[in-house]
Amino acid sequence: MHEIEEDPLFLRVKSRDTVLVGEDEICKVLSFVGGARDPLAPTLFQVANVDTGEIKFVHGEEVREIVSTYEQEVQQRIEYPTEGPITNILPTVENHEKKIGKKKLSRN
């Protein structure tokens, strides 16, 4: 009997996914470069370290795990919004007064 060979993990990684690189580096995938044999198969990833902001290229084999896909992140933001309505953050006089903690701005 032949064992079914599973595709390598890095073939499932897409742009904007969050991945574990190496032992303890969490990175956001910015883009990828395809291979010579198959231009659609990612072999190099341009990633940004979420802790340090460092941007670098890593080989696909260095990706150990997909921590979160972009689709999962979007769904989570829809289900559990962290901010209130957009009207609470728009640059209005009232919101500025709340931000700086003053009662009213004088209008001359």
Side-chain angles (χ1 to χ4, degrees):
M1 296 188 129
H2 298 285
E3 291 184 29
I4 298 174
E5 198 171 306
E6 191 174 316
D7 287 337
L9 175 68
F10 68 86
L11 291 178
R12 295 192 309 252
V13 175
K14 299 176 193 154
S15 290
R16 301 183 287 187
D17 287 350
T18 305
V19 296
L20 174 66
V21 176
E23 295 299 317
D24 60 353
E25 190 175 7
I26 302 292
C27 296
K28 186 68 116 174
V29 177
L30 303 175
S31 64
F32 62 88
V33 178
R37 293 183 185 177
D38 185 2
L40 297 177
T43 56
L44 286 174
F45 295 97
Q46 184 182 31
V47 297
N49 184 307
V50 296
D51 293 324
T52 64
E54 175 189 14
I55 296 176
K56 64 182 181 177
F57 280 96
V58 296
H59 191 273
E61 291 291 331
E62 294 180 63
V63 175
R64 301 285 178 236
E65 180 181 344
I66 299 174
V67 176
S68 176
T69 65
Y70 178 69
E71 290 81 13
Q72 289 171 335
E73 292 175 12
V74 169
Q75 186 62 34
Q76 188 175 23
R77 287 179 190 161
I78 292 170
E79 291 175 5
Y80 306 104
T82 57
E83 295 179 351
I86 189 78
T87 55
N88 290 347
I89 60 171
L90 289 175
T92 62
V93 171
E94 291 80 16
N95 289 336
H96 182 70
E97 290 169 349
K98 290 178 196 174
K99 183 177 178 181
I100 61 174
K102 293 188 177 178
K103 294 182 180 183
K104 288 273 185 186
L105 293 175
S106 62
R107 297 178 191 202
N108 294 335

